[in-house]
Amino acid sequence: MDATNQFFPTEQKLTKVTRREQSRTLLENVGIHVSRYGLVATLLLIGVLKFTTGEAQGIQPLVASSPLMFWLYKVFSLQAVSNLIGVIEIAVAMLIALRPFSARLSFVGSIGAIITFVLTVSFLFSTPGAFQFSHGVPLLGDAGQFLIKDVVLLGASISTAAEARKEH
């Protein structure tokens, strides 16, 4: 066998690489669609819940202890703060869902989702009891268990923003 031929890919190797790239692209496409419309569904459902009294009361400790959002209760009532957050979440969901029609609007929605989830992830550090220490090890408390999913939602938001940004 010629020594120079071992460094050049054969047609069989190139075919395998091409198939792998195509399957990765399909997998990435499915992943981005599941991420995008999973975000849409999550934001819509959570946004609609914000209009209920129970949800307004449920988020109050999180928002009130946030150094970024506590001031909202000085300006608005408990329910008005929850309603405002709900309107924002629904609007962001709708913008993200517009991806087939407008990459730019979907990108704006994804940026809104990034901001939303950066704020909610920050609650992990500002909400009393989000972390509990047991034998010197930080463990998630009840609030932390509720909030930790937002790290994944933040990642999905970043991913959908990056994908939409490629198109506009």
Side-chain angles (χ1 to χ4, degrees):
M1 179 174 188
D2 189 344
T4 57
N5 285 340
Q6 69 184 356
F7 296 109
F8 294 105
T10 64
E11 185 175 333
Q12 184 180 19
K13 286 181 184 176
L14 287 174
T15 303
K16 284 182 181 179
V17 168
T18 302
R19 283 188 194 139
R20 203 172 349 167
E21 287 175 359
Q22 287 173 344
S23 68
R24 188 178 314 136
T25 301
L26 175 62
L27 192 57
E28 288 170 350
N29 285 338
V30 169
I32 197 70
H33 281 82
V34 169
S35 295
R36 177 176 294 110
Y37 295 105
L39 272 172
V40 169
T42 301
L43 286 163
L44 278 175
L45 292 169
I46 292 171
V48 168
L49 276 176
K50 294 293 190 291
F51 292 91
T52 66
T53 303
E55 183 69 6
Q57 292 169 348
I59 67 168
Q60 192 274 335
L62 304 172
V63 175
S65 63
S66 168
L68 303 171
M69 298 178 69
F70 74 93
W71 60 271
L72 289 169
Y73 291 119
K74 295 178 191 256
V75 178
F76 303 109
S77 70
L78 182 79
Q79 190 62 56
V81 169
S82 190
N83 291 353
L84 175 64
I85 293 169
V87 166
I88 292 168
E89 290 172 341
I90 291 168
V92 164
M94 294 178 83
L95 287 169
I96 294 169
L98 290 174
R99 176 63 182 91
F101 308 103
S102 173
R104 176 166 286 164
L105 289 176
S106 187
F107 174 74
V108 169
S110 292
I111 296 299
I114 290 169
I115 294 166
T116 296
F117 294 118
V118 163
L119 287 170
T120 59
V121 167
S122 77
F123 295 164
L124 280 167
F125 306 102
S126 63
T127 302
F131 286 102
Q132 298 172 346
F133 289 88
S134 176
H135 305 290
V137 177
L139 302 173
L140 292 173
D142 290 340
Q145 290 176 33
F146 170 72
L147 293 167
I148 197 67
K149 69 181 177 336
D150 290 4
V151 174
V152 176
L153 294 168
L154 173 60
S157 302
I158 294 167
S159 179
T160 61
E163 187 278 335
R165 179 75 175 128
K166 286 180 190 176
E167 297 296 320
H168 87 272

